[in-house]
Each structure stands twice: as structure tokens, then as C-alpha cells.
């Protein structure tokens, strides 16, 4: 992918909303459908499971990439939604 030199935008949460997650998440035993806010995303759009062993592998593996996350949160939501819909 593209530029990974930038850091994840704190409080974005797009990667916790736009994609589907097919593995169990604490509080969501069947994972979550695309476009649904993860129950582990707090009111500040921060993951409650960050760094915790119960965090799904797909979440742990996700890394910021300008091609996926764009330049701001709304762009990230649109791009990740487009990727989800395209695959």
C-alpha cells in the first residue's frame, strides 16, 4: 500500500465502524456487520480493547495507510466503506 509514515488519527474510529468483522468481539459474539459501530469503540472513538489480547486479529493487523484512511475521518469512512463494498 501507500504511505504508512503518518500515524493513525486518534479519535477517528473509521476502521471500527466501516468494515465487517467476522470473528467474535467481546460484546459482539458474531462479529459485526459493515457500517455498524463496534461496541468496543468508546465515546471518544477509541478502542477499549487496544493492546488487549481479546482484540480481534483483524483489528490488531490493521495499520494506518493514507490510501485507505485518506486525509481525514470522513474520507476514511468513505474509503473503507468503498473497500468493504468492493470485496
Amino acid at each position: 500500500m501507500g504511505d504508512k509514515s503518518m500515524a493513525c488519527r486518534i479519535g477517528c474510529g473509521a476502521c471500527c465502524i466501516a468494515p465487517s468483522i467476522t470473528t467474535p468481539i467481546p460484546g459482539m459474539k458474531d462479529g459485526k456487520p459493515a457500517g455498524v459501530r463496534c461496541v468496543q469503540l468508546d465515546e471518544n472513538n477509541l478502542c477499549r480493547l487496544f493492546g488487549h489480547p481479546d482484540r480481534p486479529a483483524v483489528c490488531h493487523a490493521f495499520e494506518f495507510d493514507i490510501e485507505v484512511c485518506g486525509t481525514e475521518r470522513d474520507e476514511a469512512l468513505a474509503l473503507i466503506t468503498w473497500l468493504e463494498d468492493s470485496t
Side-chain angles (χ1 to χ4, degrees):
M1 287 243 133
D3 182 7
K4 292 181 192 256
S5 64
M6 294 177 63
C8 183
R9 283 183 295 277
I10 302 300
C12 173
C15 60
C16 302
I17 298 168
S20 61
I21 298 176
T22 58
T23 58
I25 303 165
M28 300 180 101
K29 67 180 178 86
D30 296 322
K32 67 168 225 60
V36 171
R37 184 179 180 87
C38 179
V39 298
Q40 296 300 331
L41 192 61
D42 74 12
E43 62 279 352
N44 296 310
N45 288 332
L46 299 173
C47 178
R48 291 182 183 98
L49 297 177
F50 193 84
H52 193 275
D54 288 344
R55 188 173 181 215
V58 68
C59 301
H60 180 72
F62 187 86
E63 293 182 6
F64 175 89
D65 189 308
I66 196 77
E67 290 182 21
V68 174
C69 301
T71 58
E72 47 93 24
R73 182 178 189 271
D74 288 340
E75 188 176 11
L77 281 167
L79 288 169
I80 297 170
T81 298
W82 178 82
L83 286 168
E84 177 72 25
D85 292 345
S86 298
T87 56

